[in-house]
Amino acid sequence: LSRKMNADYWSIDEILAEEERIPSQFRIDALFLGYLDPGLPENETTLKKDTKLELPYWLAGTLASRRMVTIELPRFYGRKFKSTLLADPAVINLREKSNFFYELGSRLAHLIHDPELSPMLLKALTSRFREILDRCQHSKANDDFTPFTRRLTSLEKKLFESGRKAVIEFGLWKNRKQEKIMCSSVITRPNKRIRVH
């Protein structure tokens, strides 16, 4: 099955995000795909219509675009979890739900045209980013951040690590322990457009 190549085709994080499992239901009999269901006997090669399986996003998305499956949102994007998350986003352990919570949610919102999912993701990230920024700026170099970083998604952890590094480098520069401010990697990277769905 072919899929569109995008700018992040070789990104390990993109590959891992697309491996996340999505609840899917087949809309047709799928010939020679019986091996996808470990509960079927070995001699059964066809997945019957209405079979429910959890498929990796890359497969579920491709099959959904061809109208072969219907995708259901994972529970951690459902209404009950949304209300819990939006009540206090900072205390939820999103890594426990999905290490690629925002990336997968953004893809799913676009794929199934869910108008509520993208704003929920943005609100959650904005709220959690405030805490990440606060932890970066108001902590000591020898503080143990393990309990805090354990509940961060991959994206949030990268933001936290970048923020900590910036705070440390600024402190060195401010105390004249580093003579020159180094150019940020964000500036030195080739321009990359960010798509907002």
Side-chain angles (χ1 to χ4, degrees):
L1 299 173
S2 65
R3 64 185 177 129
K4 286 193 271 184
M5 285 180 66
N6 60 25
D8 297 327
Y9 181 78
W10 298 109
S11 166
I12 297 298
D13 284 343
E14 293 293 319
I15 292 168
L16 292 173
E18 290 199 353
E19 283 296 320
E20 293 283 326
R21 301 256 174 202
I22 307 299
S24 309
Q25 182 173 359
F26 279 84
R27 300 171 74 181
I28 60 167
D29 287 341
L31 302 175
F32 306 111
L33 292 180
Y35 65 89
L36 292 174
D37 187 354
L40 283 180
E42 282 186 37
N43 61 347
E44 184 68 44
T45 61
T46 301
L47 286 175
K48 301 290 184 198
K49 180 180 178 180
D50 296 327
T51 299
K52 291 184 177 184
L53 291 175
E54 286 198 350
L55 301 173
Y57 174 83
W58 63 266
L59 179 57
T62 302
L63 294 176
S65 69
R66 295 179 181 186
R67 299 177 190 248
M68 295 171 73
V69 299
T70 302
I71 290 180
E72 300 172 28
L73 283 176
R75 287 185 181 171
F76 50 84
Y77 295 118
R79 290 195 189 281
K80 186 177 179 183
F81 184 74
K82 280 181 193 177
S83 60
T84 303
L85 177 64
L86 295 178
D88 193 0
V91 299
I92 303 289
N93 183 346
L94 287 182
R95 178 182 227 145
E96 198 174 73
K97 307 300 179 192
S98 171
N99 198 28
F100 300 96
F101 183 81
Y102 301 105
E103 296 88 341
L104 181 63
S106 176
R107 286 184 173 95
L108 286 171
H110 179 70
L111 183 67
I112 64 172
H113 308 292
D114 185 335
E116 297 175 8
L117 188 53
S118 289
M120 184 270 297
L121 293 170
L122 182 61
K123 187 173 181 181
L125 181 60
T126 303
S127 177
R128 290 170 68 91
F129 181 72
R130 287 186 190 118
E131 183 183 3
I132 291 168
L133 189 60
D134 187 52
R135 294 266 181 143
C136 290
Q137 293 178 336
H138 301 103
S139 56
K140 297 179 177 99
N142 59 353
D143 285 351
D144 180 20
F145 298 107
T146 307
F148 174 68
T149 57
R150 260 193 215 127
R151 60 189 178 88
L152 299 180
T153 66
S154 177
L155 173 66
E156 293 169 338
K157 194 169 182 180
K158 285 179 186 175
L159 289 171
F160 178 74
E161 289 168 355
S162 295
R164 284 292 304 143
K165 183 178 175 189
V167 166
I168 290 168
E169 288 178 355
F170 177 73
L172 291 173
W173 176 80
K174 186 177 171 186
N175 295 324
R176 302 287 187 234
K177 293 184 180 172
Q178 186 170 339
E179 293 299 320
K180 188 163 97 168
I181 295 179
M182 306 303 287
C183 189
S184 170
S185 63
V186 173
I187 302 299
T188 57
R189 280 191 307 205
N191 287 342
K192 182 171 147 185
R193 293 181 185 221
I194 298 174
R195 291 189 311 185
V196 177
H197 300 285

